[in-house]
Amino acid sequence: MMDEIFTARRKTGYAVMGSAALGFALGGFFDGILLHQILQWHHLLSGLPKAAADLRFLIMTDGMFHLAMYGVAALGLVWLWRGRTRIAEDGTGGLGLAWAMIGFGSWHVVDAVLSHWLLGIHRIRMDSEAPLFWDILWLCLFGLGPILLGIWIKRGGRGSGFRSAPLVLAAITIAAGTMQAFPPAAEGPVVVLFRSGMAEAEVMAAIEAVDGVFAGSDATGTLWAIALPDGASAASLYAHGALVVSGAGLSAGCLDYVRAS
């Protein structure tokens, strides 16, 4: 009897830890997709002047952050699998939903306290004259709000009918991770970051190699806008010195929502 009780508690623990880890990873993916890619409010190290001056380094560190979130998500899936026999039982789904919300909010609390205020490596809106306002607003909406909701669900027994909540959470997290790696293709010219040290002649040769047309570049010559022929794959630029190509997927991600103007 004691062995059965211990086994049941252990599997419940795996289900809880898996839900919390997936919620935490989903919070990181939410941050990376929305703030780094779509809104482009900051990179991981935008608050450090020396790092902010090197776009290639910023993208590399963002990629490391995304890789860490994949690791947390993978760990959560393993734990969820080990607790799979408890997921379908009454109440476990609600418990999983509660801990997923707590995990999601915890990511934003950790990010706010550690990244924004203690280390100062970035703020929610780097271009704002009142960055503290955005930090606190984001913390309340996506940090404290989900945590309090998770506690309410857990203590009040709400959500006991959500037996499939952990499985739905796993599917959402996998979808978010896939979106991180394979973002929607950009329309019009693609924006390309070439490797360090490439001369202008080498860049033009790369554009010619893919039958592209030069459409513009930034003042520093770091980013290049290239119009590709219909049906051409933007990913082919990776074979000619590109580090990141908007809309091509499998990149560090932070240029994948940049639109050439």
Side-chain angles (χ1 to χ4, degrees):
M1 178 65 70
M2 292 300 296
D3 288 342
E4 292 179 359
I5 294 175
F6 176 76
T7 300
R9 287 181 176 178
R10 183 178 60 183
K11 291 184 177 181
T12 298
Y14 281 132
V16 167
M17 291 189 299
S19 297
L22 287 179
F24 190 88
L26 189 59
F29 286 136
F30 176 81
D31 184 300
I33 292 170
L34 184 61
L35 297 181
H36 293 201
Q37 294 182 336
I38 296 178
L39 298 177
Q40 298 180 40
W41 282 356
H42 68 254
H43 295 278
L44 180 65
L45 299 182
S46 293
L48 305 180
K50 290 185 178 180
D54 188 343
L55 180 59
R56 293 179 179 85
F57 182 71
L58 287 180
I59 291 177
M60 181 195 71
T61 54
D62 279 344
M64 294 174 64
F65 159 68
H66 297 150
L67 185 61
M69 290 301 103
Y70 283 119
V72 174
L75 183 61
L77 290 172
V78 170
W79 281 338
L80 209 60
W81 174 256
R82 298 189 68 173
R84 64 189 181 279
T85 58
R86 292 285 289 160
I87 291 175
E89 298 180 12
D90 288 335
T92 307
L95 190 62
L97 178 62
W99 280 103
M101 298 299 296
I102 293 172
F104 182 90
S106 295
W107 156 255
H108 294 282
V109 172
V110 170
D111 187 42
V113 174
L114 185 64
S115 302
H116 303 170
W117 301 329
L118 293 182
L119 300 179
I121 57 177
H122 68 257
R123 309 296 288 270
I124 290 295
R125 290 205 64 168
M126 295 298 301
D127 61 345
S128 173
E129 295 181 358
L132 183 60
F133 167 78
W134 288 99
D135 290 346
I136 294 176
L137 177 64
W138 208 263
L139 174 63
C140 291
L141 288 178
F142 300 109
L144 300 180
I147 289 176
L148 292 175
L149 179 59
I151 293 174
W152 177 75
I153 293 173
K154 185 165 67 73
R155 289 185 174 179
R158 307 301 196 278
S160 60
F162 294 98
R163 294 186 182 185
S164 60
L167 298 179
V168 173
L169 173 65
I172 292 174
T173 306
I174 292 172
T178 302
M179 183 179 178
Q180 185 73 61
F182 298 96
E187 297 178 358
V190 296
V191 178
V192 183
L193 175 69
F194 286 99
R195 67 173 183 267
S196 179
M198 280 190 67
E200 182 176 337
E202 293 177 296
V203 172
M204 292 301 178
I207 296 174
E208 183 179 353
V210 297
D211 297 324
V213 177
F214 169 70
S217 66
D218 69 336
T220 64
T222 301
L223 299 175
W224 297 75
I226 301 172
L228 297 174
D230 292 340
S233 172
S236 61
L237 285 160
Y238 286 118
H240 301 281
L243 292 179
V244 184
V245 181
S246 63
L250 293 176
S251 68
C254 292
L255 291 185
D256 287 302
Y257 288 83
V258 173
R259 296 293 184 263
S261 60

